[in-house]
Amino acid sequence: MKKEIIAMLLAGGAGSRLNILARHRAKPAIPFGGIYRIIDFTMSNIANSSIDVVGVLTQYKPLSLMEHIDNGKPWDMFGRTRLVEILPPKTGEASSDWYKGTSDAVYQNVAFINDFSPELVLVVSGDHIYHMNYAELIAYHRKKRADATVCLIPVPLRDAHNFGIAETARTGRIRTWIEKPQKPPSNLASMGIYVFTTNVLMKALVTTARTSGVDFAKNVIPQLLKEHRVYGYEFNDYWRDVGTIDAYWNANMDLLARDPEPKIANWRIKTNLHVKGEIGDRPSAYLGRSARVRNSLISRGCVIEGTVSHSVLSPGVRVEKNATVSDSIIFHDAVISSGASVDTVIIDKSVTIETSARLGHGTMKINRRYPQHLSTGITVVGKKARIAAKITVGKNCIIQPEAYVKRNCTSGSTK
Amino acid sequence: MSNVLAFVLAGGRVDELLCLTERRPKSALPIFGIYRIIDCVLSNLMHAGIEHVGVLSQYRPSALVRHIGTGEHWDFIGRKRGIRILPPYRGFKASDWYKGTADAVYQNCAYIEEFNPRSVLIASADHVYRMDYRPFVQHHIETDADVTVCFTRTRKRSSRFGYGIIDRTGHLKKYVEKPETPPSTWASMTLYLFKTDVLIDALENNAHETSHEFGRDVLPALMNKHRIRAYRFSGYWAYARTIDSYYATNMDVLHSKVDLSKWQVRTNLVERCAHSERMPASINGDVVNSVISDGCTVNGTVRNSILSPGVIIENGAQVTDSIIYHDAHVGRKTHLKKTICDKDTTIGENCAIGVSGEETPSREYPELLHSGITLIGKKCTIPPGTTIGANTAIYSASEIGMRTIEPGSTLR
């Protein structure tokens, strides 16, 4: 089947800085904004840009991701000429290995690309929250007669050392390209989105592999710069790499701003509404006689009898009478029992907070075991954990999945 | 349950619901926010593991056809499972509209023969209940009944039902359809199980008659010659025959009479989301004892009300005791009381709908619209500053020219 363009979606990231949120699932499968998962943004961008063949490259804990992508139907990529294919690492005659990096993952799947003989290949990551019409990017790539086009976003110069940075000529052609530079020559950071002319990509993948290169940013792009026309496409809209707990929390809270970003409704972000194992469809949210909800997103199946402010609740969350939830993100089917108080906490699926427990209360101390992950006050409670009645858990705490916490946890501790 | 074939009666036209059923059959009416009434029976059939379902529809079926789709939402899809809409058709001999519930099934005898089931289950799509059909089927088979009729105990003896007199052994001694004075408290749920050959014989005999209804004609004709048993159902059972009963049934979800988390109802979630994907509800107002669906934005006050997906309640608006369908918009400082707003209605700012005149019944339909409910039809736009008295029915796409609409009015 011949296609003009196909997309390769990199969804293998472990997301280790997201700590226990990525313990049981790949980063793109982490819930976001109540009913979505992070990958929905990229999948919807692809669908809304009329690209209808997608290879999803998975490696790390792909189960929940595969279930979520299902047969591609939620994004309308289902039919005789439209499809999503999950491309996990595989053993074969010649190569038999895990994906060693982003370009290696695509390299190991050149057969998938060749099946469609596309003129162009779009390489995107499933880790980011943004909306982009890739059709404009592709038009730009063609207009510039580029061999490769990299999406660039202006970042504050002081943060530029965290990114791959490009310096472009006035024509848009990339002159220099440095990964995580000490002294950034510009503030244009790579978004990890690339368009390649297929034959150029194929040759580059072979050459890169021969020199043991495995990564688009580190190996493929620098190599292409030598001989090919590589252009930068500047993007100036909302885009977030939600790779840290802080960034993840902030991007969720952006949904609650007076002028919310990302503009999910306008962007037509689609998700898989059907969840395996759910016998019936979740009914609409019910707010009871003593409910008080302010500036929050409440998903289907929630039952609210307590107070919820400035928070994002996934489907099936119960907030009982006299319980308060503020500045928090609560995943599916968690229960906040009566009298409990939850402040600036990310609570994973099926967690039970028993009566009068207090979470996120205490002095500000950074997490001792993961100082890089938790320093701004957010406490994270892992999937299926239980916090016993009247227990206090401080700020910057990590409660491991399935833990039963029966003693107080001071700020900065990990249980 | 491969030996049971089910028919769902979804077709009848009912004028009693005025503008709510102007363009849709009763079974397609929205209920509890995201469902349609027919979802209850379809989910019951799914949970019972019944594999083949025929939906008999005649009156404006397009909403139903789209809603049921391939049947995948109720798992009626696969090599051995299926759901089929069975509309009236023209053939060599028979070519007519369905003349009644029994005639509708009779005209689809070929569908029964295709599967050759042991029993045929016939259910109405208009009822709101969660019932496990498996013990019902088991009872039917164990007692080797020719027909088993399901009954529920009624508190109010209404002449709207069929009533049964059941003997001590569970046999149906007598059945009367819509009697002036009900002879018992056991009302028929229009839920039947037939032995297939008994059903086909009965339908063939009925075909020569002038009236073709299961309750009125088929059951009484079978009474003397066949083993007809009664099955008693004791769970919640409600219906939407009138505006009052439709309204009350919806409100039951706010009074803990219906626990949807236990009912496990399925619906077609994709249908109305195709145009705009729904976010979780965004709530920044006072919401008390209400159901709020995905895609709603509530900045005003909502009390004792049910909001379908995509409803917007602006700042300062007050919505009380109301049912608001998909994508309706209620403007700033507007008051709504006991109002049913159909899909895509727009109520401007500073309106007062249904707030006054609840004592004045509808002039055109005093029997149907008298308890203070106000109906706003699909896609109506109510200009800012309009006052609409209670017991008013506004049909879809009506032009609203005046600032004040008296209670009890009907606009077309």
Side-chain angles (χ1 to χ4, degrees), chain A residues 258-285:
Chain A
R258 187 168 281 272
D259 183 19
E261 291 279 6
K263 293 184 173 55
I264 288 180
N266 300 355
W267 292 354
R268 295 184 295 138
I269 302 301
K270 302 164 176 73
T271 187
N272 189 348
L273 295 166
H274 296 266
V275 182
K276 248 179 214 168
E278 269 182 16
I279 303 160
D281 290 321
R282 293 182 191 267
S284 303

PDB file of all heavy atoms in Angstrom, chain A residues 258-285:
ATOM      1  N   ARG A 258      -7.439  30.462  33.844  1.00  0.00           N
ATOM      2  CA  ARG A 258      -8.556  31.228  33.292  1.00  0.00           C
ATOM      3  C   ARG A 258      -8.577  31.105  31.765  1.00  0.00           C
ATOM      4  O   ARG A 258      -9.620  30.977  31.143  1.00  0.00           O
ATOM      5  CB  ARG A 258      -8.393  32.703  33.703  1.00  0.00           C
ATOM      6  CG  ARG A 258      -9.565  33.568  33.330  1.00  0.00           C
ATOM      7  CD  ARG A 258      -9.461  34.906  34.027  1.00  0.00           C
ATOM      8  NE  ARG A 258      -9.889  34.822  35.423  1.00  0.00           N
ATOM      9  CZ  ARG A 258     -11.155  34.981  35.805  1.00  0.00           C
ATOM     10  NH1 ARG A 258     -12.085  35.228  34.907  1.00  0.00           N
ATOM     11  NH2 ARG A 258     -11.499  34.908  37.063  1.00  0.00           N
ATOM     12  N   ASP A 259      -7.402  31.131  31.178  1.00  0.00           N
ATOM     13  CA  ASP A 259      -7.277  30.896  29.749  1.00  0.00           C
ATOM     14  C   ASP A 259      -6.523  29.575  29.607  1.00  0.00           C
ATOM     15  O   ASP A 259      -5.307  29.549  29.511  1.00  0.00           O
ATOM     16  CB  ASP A 259      -6.490  32.056  29.119  1.00  0.00           C
ATOM     17  CG  ASP A 259      -6.399  31.886  27.618  1.00  0.00           C
ATOM     18  OD1 ASP A 259      -7.195  31.138  27.050  1.00  0.00           O
ATOM     19  OD2 ASP A 259      -5.509  32.515  27.026  1.00  0.00           O
ATOM     20  N   PRO A 260      -7.259  28.460  29.654  1.00  0.00           N
ATOM     21  CA  PRO A 260      -6.587  27.169  29.822  1.00  0.00           C
ATOM     22  C   PRO A 260      -5.719  26.766  28.626  1.00  0.00           C
ATOM     23  O   PRO A 260      -6.053  27.048  27.490  1.00  0.00           O
ATOM     24  CB  PRO A 260      -7.740  26.183  30.005  1.00  0.00           C
ATOM     25  CG  PRO A 260      -8.937  26.858  29.478  1.00  0.00           C
ATOM     26  CD  PRO A 260      -8.708  28.322  29.558  1.00  0.00           C
ATOM     27  N   GLU A 261      -4.611  26.156  28.922  1.00  0.00           N
ATOM     28  CA  GLU A 261      -3.753  25.505  27.948  1.00  0.00           C
ATOM     29  C   GLU A 261      -3.490  24.113  28.496  1.00  0.00           C
ATOM     30  O   GLU A 261      -3.423  23.946  29.705  1.00  0.00           O
ATOM     31  CB  GLU A 261      -2.417  26.249  27.827  1.00  0.00           C
ATOM     32  CG  GLU A 261      -2.487  27.613  27.199  1.00  0.00           C
ATOM     33  CD  GLU A 261      -2.535  27.563  25.665  1.00  0.00           C
ATOM     34  OE1 GLU A 261      -2.620  26.433  25.125  1.00  0.00           O
ATOM     35  OE2 GLU A 261      -2.507  28.631  25.059  1.00  0.00           O
ATOM     36  N   PRO A 262      -3.263  23.135  27.758  1.00  0.00           N
ATOM     37  CA  PRO A 262      -3.592  23.018  26.337  1.00  0.00           C
ATOM     38  C   PRO A 262      -5.095  23.125  26.077  1.00  0.00           C
ATOM     39  O   PRO A 262      -5.887  22.713  26.902  1.00  0.00           O
ATOM     40  CB  PRO A 262      -3.099  21.605  26.016  1.00  0.00           C
ATOM     41  CG  PRO A 262      -3.107  20.882  27.314  1.00  0.00           C
ATOM     42  CD  PRO A 262      -2.729  21.910  28.330  1.00  0.00           C
ATOM     43  N   LYS A 263      -5.452  23.692  24.941  1.00  0.00           N
ATOM     44  CA  LYS A 263      -6.869  23.894  24.631  1.00  0.00           C
ATOM     45  C   LYS A 263      -7.466  22.606  24.068  1.00  0.00           C
ATOM     46  O   LYS A 263      -7.665  22.464  22.874  1.00  0.00           O
ATOM     47  CB  LYS A 263      -7.010  25.035  23.637  1.00  0.00           C
ATOM     48  CG  LYS A 263      -6.624  26.383  24.230  1.00  0.00           C
ATOM     49  CD  LYS A 263      -6.853  27.502  23.255  1.00  0.00           C
ATOM     50  CE  LYS A 263      -6.628  28.860  23.906  1.00  0.00           C
ATOM     51  NZ  LYS A 263      -5.302  29.012  24.546  1.00  0.00           N
ATOM     52  N   ILE A 264      -7.744  21.695  24.990  1.00  0.00           N
ATOM     53  CA  ILE A 264      -8.125  20.346  24.583  1.00  0.00           C
ATOM     54  C   ILE A 264      -9.367  20.347  23.704  1.00  0.00           C
ATOM     55  O   ILE A 264      -9.430  19.664  22.693  1.00  0.00           O
ATOM     56  CB  ILE A 264      -8.329  19.462  25.830  1.00  0.00           C
ATOM     57  CG1 ILE A 264      -6.963  19.166  26.461  1.00  0.00           C
ATOM     58  CG2 ILE A 264      -9.045  18.179  25.472  1.00  0.00           C
ATOM     59  CD1 ILE A 264      -7.012  18.306  27.687  1.00  0.00           C
ATOM     60  N   ALA A 265     -10.358  21.154  24.085  1.00  0.00           N
ATOM     61  CA  ALA A 265     -11.615  21.127  23.338  1.00  0.00           C
ATOM     62  C   ALA A 265     -11.396  21.610  21.903  1.00  0.00           C
ATOM     63  O   ALA A 265     -11.880  21.002  20.951  1.00  0.00           O
ATOM     64  CB  ALA A 265     -12.661  21.977  24.046  1.00  0.00           C
ATOM     65  N   ASN A 266     -10.640  22.692  21.742  1.00  0.00           N
ATOM     66  CA  ASN A 266     -10.408  23.217  20.390  1.00  0.00           C
ATOM     67  C   ASN A 266      -9.555  22.280  19.558  1.00  0.00           C
ATOM     68  O   ASN A 266      -9.641  22.253  18.350  1.00  0.00           O
ATOM     69  CB  ASN A 266      -9.682  24.563  20.452  1.00  0.00           C
ATOM     70  CG  ASN A 266     -10.475  25.596  21.209  1.00  0.00           C
ATOM     71  OD1 ASN A 266     -11.595  25.325  21.607  1.00  0.00           O
ATOM     72  ND2 ASN A 266      -9.899  26.760  21.423  1.00  0.00           N
ATOM     73  N   TRP A 267      -8.701  21.557  20.240  1.00  0.00           N
ATOM     74  CA  TRP A 267      -7.737  20.734  19.506  1.00  0.00           C
ATOM     75  C   TRP A 267      -8.284  19.391  19.073  1.00  0.00           C
ATOM     76  O   TRP A 267      -7.601  18.622  18.438  1.00  0.00           O
ATOM     77  CB  TRP A 267      -6.516  20.479  20.384  1.00  0.00           C
ATOM     78  CG  TRP A 267      -5.690  21.669  20.651  1.00  0.00           C
ATOM     79  CD1 TRP A 267      -5.825  22.918  20.132  1.00  0.00           C
ATOM     80  CD2 TRP A 267      -4.548  21.719  21.513  1.00  0.00           C
ATOM     81  NE1 TRP A 267      -4.855  23.732  20.624  1.00  0.00           N
ATOM     82  CE2 TRP A 267      -4.058  23.026  21.464  1.00  0.00           C
ATOM     83  CE3 TRP A 267      -3.903  20.773  22.304  1.00  0.00           C
ATOM     84  CZ2 TRP A 267      -2.932  23.426  22.194  1.00  0.00           C
ATOM     85  CZ3 TRP A 267      -2.798  21.163  23.026  1.00  0.00           C
ATOM     86  CH2 TRP A 267      -2.321  22.485  22.970  1.00  0.00           C
ATOM     87  N   ARG A 268      -9.467  19.086  19.478  1.00  0.00           N
ATOM     88  CA  ARG A 268     -10.045  17.784  19.151  1.00  0.00           C
ATOM     89  C   ARG A 268      -9.118  16.638  19.576  1.00  0.00           C
ATOM     90  O   ARG A 268      -8.747  15.791  18.777  1.00  0.00           O
ATOM     91  CB  ARG A 268     -10.376  17.686  17.660  1.00  0.00           C
ATOM     92  CG  ARG A 268     -11.473  18.683  17.249  1.00  0.00           C
ATOM     93  CD  ARG A 268     -11.858  18.515  15.805  1.00  0.00           C
ATOM     94  NE  ARG A 268     -10.739  18.850  14.928  1.00  0.00           N
ATOM     95  CZ  ARG A 268     -10.395  18.161  13.860  1.00  0.00           C
ATOM     96  NH1 ARG A 268     -11.045  17.080  13.538  1.00  0.00           N
ATOM     97  NH2 ARG A 268      -9.392  18.549  13.114  1.00  0.00           N
ATOM     98  N   ILE A 269      -8.715  16.675  20.828  1.00  0.00           N
ATOM     99  CA  ILE A 269      -7.890  15.586  21.355  1.00  0.00           C
ATOM    100  C   ILE A 269      -8.792  14.399  21.633  1.00  0.00           C
ATOM    101  O   ILE A 269      -9.804  14.524  22.318  1.00  0.00           O
ATOM    102  CB  ILE A 269      -7.157  16.031  22.640  1.00  0.00           C
ATOM    103  CG1 ILE A 269      -6.289  17.257  22.362  1.00  0.00           C
ATOM    104  CG2 ILE A 269      -6.328  14.884  23.213  1.00  0.00           C
ATOM    105  CD1 ILE A 269      -5.229  17.080  21.301  1.00  0.00           C
ATOM    106  N   LYS A 270      -8.428  13.276  21.064  1.00  0.00           N
ATOM    107  CA  LYS A 270      -9.259  12.072  21.205  1.00  0.00           C
ATOM    108  C   LYS A 270      -8.557  11.079  22.108  1.00  0.00           C
ATOM    109  O   LYS A 270      -7.338  11.011  22.136  1.00  0.00           O
ATOM    110  CB  LYS A 270      -9.477  11.426  19.837  1.00  0.00           C
ATOM    111  CG  LYS A 270     -10.119  12.347  18.820  1.00  0.00           C
ATOM    112  CD  LYS A 270      -9.937  11.782  17.419  1.00  0.00           C
ATOM    113  CE  LYS A 270     -10.656  12.621  16.367  1.00  0.00           C
ATOM    114  NZ  LYS A 270     -10.006  13.903  16.096  1.00  0.00           N
ATOM    115  N   THR A 271      -9.371  10.299  22.813  1.00  0.00           N
ATOM    116  CA  THR A 271      -8.787   9.270  23.657  1.00  0.00           C
ATOM    117  C   THR A 271      -9.590   7.991  23.481  1.00  0.00           C
ATOM    118  O   THR A 271     -10.632   7.992  22.835  1.00  0.00           O
ATOM    119  CB  THR A 271      -8.739   9.715  25.132  1.00  0.00           C
ATOM    120  OG1 THR A 271      -8.012   8.751  25.872  1.00  0.00           O
ATOM    121  CG2 THR A 271     -10.137   9.863  25.721  1.00  0.00           C
ATOM    122  N   ASN A 272      -9.104   6.925  24.006  1.00  0.00           N
ATOM    123  CA  ASN A 272      -9.823   5.660  23.950  1.00  0.00           C
ATOM    124  C   ASN A 272     -10.809   5.619  25.115  1.00  0.00           C
ATOM    125  O   ASN A 272     -10.407   5.511  26.266  1.00  0.00           O
ATOM    126  CB  ASN A 272      -8.845   4.487  24.035  1.00  0.00           C
ATOM    127  CG  ASN A 272      -9.522   3.171  23.767  1.00  0.00           C
ATOM    128  OD1 ASN A 272     -10.744   3.079  23.732  1.00  0.00           O
ATOM    129  ND2 ASN A 272      -8.724   2.137  23.569  1.00  0.00           N
ATOM    130  N   LEU A 273     -12.098   5.736  24.793  1.00  0.00           N
ATOM    131  CA  LEU A 273     -13.102   5.814  25.854  1.00  0.00           C
ATOM    132  C   LEU A 273     -13.433   4.463  26.440  1.00  0.00           C
ATOM    133  O   LEU A 273     -13.978   4.349  27.516  1.00  0.00           O
ATOM    134  CB  LEU A 273     -14.388   6.418  25.294  1.00  0.00           C
ATOM    135  CG  LEU A 273     -14.290   7.857  24.829  1.00  0.00           C
ATOM    136  CD1 LEU A 273     -15.496   8.221  23.994  1.00  0.00           C
ATOM    137  CD2 LEU A 273     -14.188   8.789  26.019  1.00  0.00           C
ATOM    138  N   HIS A 274     -13.095   3.424  25.697  1.00  0.00           N
ATOM    139  CA  HIS A 274     -13.459   2.091  26.167  1.00  0.00           C
ATOM    140  C   HIS A 274     -12.298   1.503  26.933  1.00  0.00           C
ATOM    141  O   HIS A 274     -11.191   1.429  26.430  1.00  0.00           O
ATOM    142  CB  HIS A 274     -13.833   1.202  24.996  1.00  0.00           C
ATOM    143  CG  HIS A 274     -15.052   1.710  24.297  1.00  0.00           C
ATOM    144  ND1 HIS A 274     -16.313   1.265  24.588  1.00  0.00           N
ATOM    145  CD2 HIS A 274     -15.207   2.667  23.370  1.00  0.00           C
ATOM    146  CE1 HIS A 274     -17.190   1.908  23.848  1.00  0.00           C
ATOM    147  NE2 HIS A 274     -16.547   2.765  23.098  1.00  0.00           N
ATOM    148  N   VAL A 275     -12.572   1.120  28.145  1.00  0.00           N
ATOM    149  CA  VAL A 275     -11.512   0.596  28.987  1.00  0.00           C
ATOM    150  C   VAL A 275     -11.777  -0.871  29.221  1.00  0.00           C
ATOM    151  O   VAL A 275     -12.888  -1.264  29.585  1.00  0.00           O
ATOM    152  CB  VAL A 275     -11.473   1.360  30.330  1.00  0.00           C
ATOM    153  CG1 VAL A 275     -10.343   0.841  31.186  1.00  0.00           C
ATOM    154  CG2 VAL A 275     -11.306   2.837  30.057  1.00  0.00           C
ATOM    155  N   LYS A 276     -10.780  -1.665  28.964  1.00  0.00           N
ATOM    156  CA  LYS A 276     -10.918  -3.096  29.183  1.00  0.00           C
ATOM    157  C   LYS A 276     -11.265  -3.366  30.638  1.00  0.00           C
ATOM    158  O   LYS A 276     -10.748  -2.721  31.529  1.00  0.00           O
ATOM    159  CB  LYS A 276      -9.615  -3.809  28.837  1.00  0.00           C
ATOM    160  CG  LYS A 276      -9.773  -4.689  27.613  1.00  0.00           C
ATOM    161  CD  LYS A 276      -8.497  -5.379  27.253  1.00  0.00           C
ATOM    162  CE  LYS A 276      -8.431  -5.509  25.740  1.00  0.00           C
ATOM    163  NZ  LYS A 276      -7.126  -5.909  25.275  1.00  0.00           N
ATOM    164  N   GLY A 277     -12.113  -4.334  30.865  1.00  0.00           N
ATOM    165  CA  GLY A 277     -12.439  -4.696  32.237  1.00  0.00           C
ATOM    166  C   GLY A 277     -13.590  -3.896  32.806  1.00  0.00           C
ATOM    167  O   GLY A 277     -14.118  -4.242  33.843  1.00  0.00           O
ATOM    168  N   GLU A 278     -13.997  -2.837  32.116  1.00  0.00           N
ATOM    169  CA  GLU A 278     -15.156  -2.095  32.606  1.00  0.00           C
ATOM    170  C   GLU A 278     -16.406  -2.760  32.049  1.00  0.00           C
ATOM    171  O   GLU A 278     -16.585  -2.848  30.839  1.00  0.00           O
ATOM    172  CB  GLU A 278     -15.102  -0.648  32.139  1.00  0.00           C
ATOM    173  CG  GLU A 278     -14.388   0.246  33.114  1.00  0.00           C
ATOM    174  CD  GLU A 278     -14.377   1.696  32.661  1.00  0.00           C
ATOM    175  OE1 GLU A 278     -15.151   2.074  31.785  1.00  0.00           O
ATOM    176  OE2 GLU A 278     -13.557   2.439  33.228  1.00  0.00           O
ATOM    177  N   ILE A 279     -17.270  -3.206  32.936  1.00  0.00           N
ATOM    178  CA  ILE A 279     -18.433  -3.954  32.481  1.00  0.00           C
ATOM    179  C   ILE A 279     -19.479  -2.993  31.936  1.00  0.00           C
ATOM    180  O   ILE A 279     -20.012  -3.177  30.862  1.00  0.00           O
ATOM    181  CB  ILE A 279     -19.014  -4.789  33.633  1.00  0.00           C
ATOM    182  CG1 ILE A 279     -17.917  -5.706  34.185  1.00  0.00           C
ATOM    183  CG2 ILE A 279     -20.183  -5.624  33.148  1.00  0.00           C
ATOM    184  CD1 ILE A 279     -18.182  -6.206  35.571  1.00  0.00           C
ATOM    185  N   GLY A 280     -19.751  -1.963  32.683  1.00  0.00           N
ATOM    186  CA  GLY A 280     -20.689  -0.960  32.203  1.00  0.00           C
ATOM    187  C   GLY A 280     -19.934   0.313  31.889  1.00  0.00           C
ATOM    188  O   GLY A 280     -18.766   0.443  32.230  1.00  0.00           O
ATOM    189  N   ASP A 281     -20.599   1.243  31.215  1.00  0.00           N
ATOM    190  CA  ASP A 281     -19.959   2.534  31.015  1.00  0.00           C
ATOM    191  C   ASP A 281     -20.135   3.356  32.275  1.00  0.00           C
ATOM    192  O   ASP A 281     -21.169   3.296  32.923  1.00  0.00           O
ATOM    193  CB  ASP A 281     -20.590   3.242  29.822  1.00  0.00           C
ATOM    194  CG  ASP A 281     -20.214   2.556  28.527  1.00  0.00           C
ATOM    195  OD1 ASP A 281     -19.055   2.137  28.419  1.00  0.00           O
ATOM    196  OD2 ASP A 281     -21.066   2.427  27.646  1.00  0.00           O
ATOM    197  N   ARG A 282     -19.117   4.113  32.605  1.00  0.00           N
ATOM    198  CA  ARG A 282     -19.228   4.908  33.819  1.00  0.00           C
ATOM    199  C   ARG A 282     -20.323   5.955  33.648  1.00  0.00           C
ATOM    200  O   ARG A 282     -20.356   6.650  32.639  1.00  0.00           O
ATOM    201  CB  ARG A 282     -17.911   5.616  34.100  1.00  0.00           C
ATOM    202  CG  ARG A 282     -16.774   4.692  34.465  1.00  0.00           C
ATOM    203  CD  ARG A 282     -15.548   5.545  34.762  1.00  0.00           C
ATOM    204  NE  ARG A 282     -14.336   4.745  34.866  1.00  0.00           N
ATOM    205  CZ  ARG A 282     -13.863   4.264  36.011  1.00  0.00           C
ATOM    206  NH1 ARG A 282     -14.519   4.475  37.129  1.00  0.00           N
ATOM    207  NH2 ARG A 282     -12.739   3.580  36.025  1.00  0.00           N
ATOM    208  N   PRO A 283     -21.205   6.082  34.641  1.00  0.00           N
ATOM    209  CA  PRO A 283     -22.213   7.138  34.542  1.00  0.00           C
ATOM    210  C   PRO A 283     -21.564   8.519  34.695  1.00  0.00           C
ATOM    211  O   PRO A 283     -20.399   8.621  35.038  1.00  0.00           O
ATOM    212  CB  PRO A 283     -23.153   6.836  35.709  1.00  0.00           C
ATOM    213  CG  PRO A 283     -22.380   5.978  36.648  1.00  0.00           C
ATOM    214  CD  PRO A 283     -21.336   5.270  35.850  1.00  0.00           C
ATOM    215  N   SER A 284     -22.327   9.555  34.438  1.00  0.00           N
ATOM    216  CA  SER A 284     -21.803  10.911  34.605  1.00  0.00           C
ATOM    217  C   SER A 284     -21.441  11.153  36.055  1.00  0.00           C
ATOM    218  O   SER A 284     -21.894  10.443  36.951  1.00  0.00           O
ATOM    219  CB  SER A 284     -22.863  11.922  34.175  1.00  0.00           C
ATOM    220  OG  SER A 284     -23.254  11.669  32.852  1.00  0.00           O
ATOM    221  N   ALA A 285     -20.661  12.184  36.288  1.00  0.00           N
ATOM    222  CA  ALA A 285     -20.270  12.531  37.652  1.00  0.00           C
ATOM    223  C   ALA A 285     -21.501  12.914  38.464  1.00  0.00           C
ATOM    224  O   ALA A 285     -22.455  13.489  37.930  1.00  0.00           O
ATOM    225  CB  ALA A 285     -19.279  13.681  37.636  1.00  0.00           C
TER     226      ALA A 285
END
